[in-house]
Amino acid sequence: MKCAAPGFHVQPWVFKSTARRASSLPTRTVESRLSTLQASINSQPARMWILDGAFAEELVRVHGKAITNTPLWSASCITTDPSAIQTVHASYLAAGADIFLTSTYQAAPGNLSATYKINRAAAESILRQGVQLALDVRDKSAVPGKQVALSLGSFGATLADGSEFTGAFAKTTTRAELAAFHADRLRAFGAEILGKVDWLAFETVPTIVEVHAILDALRDVRAEGLPVAPAWISVSARNDAETGAGDAIETVARTIADANFGTVASLPPFNGKPFPSVILGINCTPPEYLTGLLRKIHTAQPNVPVVVYPNIGEEWDGVKRCWIEGSGWTDDEYARIAKEEWAPLGVVGVGGCCRTTPSTIRALRRAFGGGEASDKVAAS
């Protein structure tokens, strides 16, 4: 989920680690799931959702999975060790997360088919299985109102070449081609799965071209009758003013604000206005950039809600090929700044990306209140 693996993807400005047509609508509709979002928001102080943290790194750190330099990353465990995936999900719920993301960040029909030498139908089955693993954990949770976000990495993430941080793929891939990719991947999950998730999370998007393409794709699949949950489009940033490809963050915020994608009646208003169906996010970005980015967004587009989940700020030693322990923020520092600096700037959800752990999420939960969830979810 969320970002690139060290030694596999490289940001140019800093080494960081790192997601068919509908024949009928599902019985469990998007509208029925939205009621859980409202319940969760109403229970959280200052309407703050707590997201989960790094996913693939937990598979490596806790479960010893050798997935760092693989084209599918955490998605490779969907078929090889689904119980490990569910255990990671459950660990973040136990830490107090309200929203957790699926293990599908770096997977799409094309790279699944190429990696496993399987046909399209088999690739789609793996994608759906990955989401179902998260849905099962959510539905077994002892704490009501937990939410699943379908993790959908940038087109660049599926190339496994680091271009989700630079937008280099946009030089050879048109907006229409990017829209076709995103729409095709959404169709692959099918109406039943799309109708069960609480959010669509487009992640580590480096360029405004891909932001427009994702909006195009959402319009296309909605026009086809597929359920479309509320979505966030989360960008990677290379400094406190620009996306990974160098687009001004204000331009991205304006694009989201002008999308005219409708609102979510089941969610409380944001800044006195109906909650929009598509919101902005920032992920896989050094945390020291967040305050500057958020100030620019809030000044330019104060009615655009934002979810943020940067990394912990550790530096990557390119010679020793390892993280420099202690070079990042502490969990308590991360949580304190999230509450004091980020939350007042239009943030409605906060979690973590690279090198964050369940401990980081516990710190966020303490900072924003609500206590640590004693979530006795059984991974199965």
Side-chain angles (χ1 to χ4, degrees), residues 29-84:
T29 63
V30 172
E31 287 75 15
S32 68
R33 289 301 308 154
L34 286 175
S35 64
T36 69
L37 306 190
Q38 183 175 22
S40 179
I41 272 191
N42 290 340
S43 70
Q44 301 307 326
R47 198 177 56 240
M48 183 63 67
W49 286 298
I50 303 300
L51 280 61
D52 64 3
F55 193 88
E57 288 173 355
E58 284 297 286
L59 289 172
V60 174
R61 184 180 72 89
V62 177
H63 298 276
K65 298 301 175 185
I67 58 174
T68 300
N69 292 316
T70 61
L72 298 175
W73 207 25
S74 56
S76 62
C77 291
I78 295 172
T79 56
T80 61
D81 196 348
S83 65

Side-chain angles (χ1 to χ4, degrees), residues 55 74-75 77-87 89-90 100-104 126-140 148 193 377-380:
F55 193 88
S74 56
C77 291
I78 295 172
T79 56
T80 61
D81 196 348
S83 65
I85 286 177
Q86 291 193 311
T87 299
H89 287 323
F100 61 106
L101 284 79
T102 62
S103 57
T104 52
I126 292 172
L127 287 173
R128 293 191 292 270
Q129 181 184 350
V131 181
Q132 191 61 52
L133 291 171
L135 294 173
D136 289 345
V137 172
R138 179 197 71 188
D139 295 342
K140 292 177 182 178
V148 169
I193 287 293
V377 179
S380 61

Side-chain angles (χ1 to χ4, degrees), residues 21 108-109 120 155 173-188 209-210 212-218 220-221 224:
R21 310 286 176 172
R120 167 83 183 205
F155 174 75
T173 312
T174 67
R175 171 176 166 175
E177 290 169 333
L178 290 170
F181 164 81
H182 284 287
D184 179 70
R185 181 169 56 179
L186 286 169
R187 295 184 193 109
V209 174
E210 190 170 25
H212 281 294
I214 290 168
L215 292 170
D216 293 343
L218 287 171
D220 288 345
V221 297
E224 295 165 9

Side-chain angles (χ1 to χ4, degrees), residues 198-280:
D198 303 293
W199 294 90
L200 302 178
F202 296 92
E203 304 187 89
T204 328
V205 177
T207 169
I208 191 67
V209 174
E210 190 170 25
V211 172
H212 281 294
I214 290 168
L215 292 170
D216 293 343
L218 287 171
R219 293 187 185 96
D220 288 345
V221 297
R222 188 166 67 172
E224 295 165 9
L226 283 170
V228 177
W232 70 69
I233 301 176
S234 187
V235 298
S236 58
R238 67 184 186 182
N239 53 41
D240 68 356
E242 300 172 317
T243 69
D247 302 301
I249 195 65
E250 297 94 334
T251 302
V252 178
R254 184 172 63 250
T255 299
I256 299 294
D258 293 345
N260 295 319
F261 223 82
T263 58
V264 184
S266 299
L267 297 182
F270 177 78
N271 280 355
K273 299 180 182 295
F275 197 94
S277 295
V278 179
I279 66 176
L280 181 58

Side-chain angles (χ1 to χ4, degrees), residues 104-123:
T104 52
Y105 169 82
Q106 203 156 298
N111 65 357
L112 283 167
S113 295
T115 299
Y116 292 132
K117 310 302 180 187
I118 55 178
N119 61 24
R120 167 83 183 205

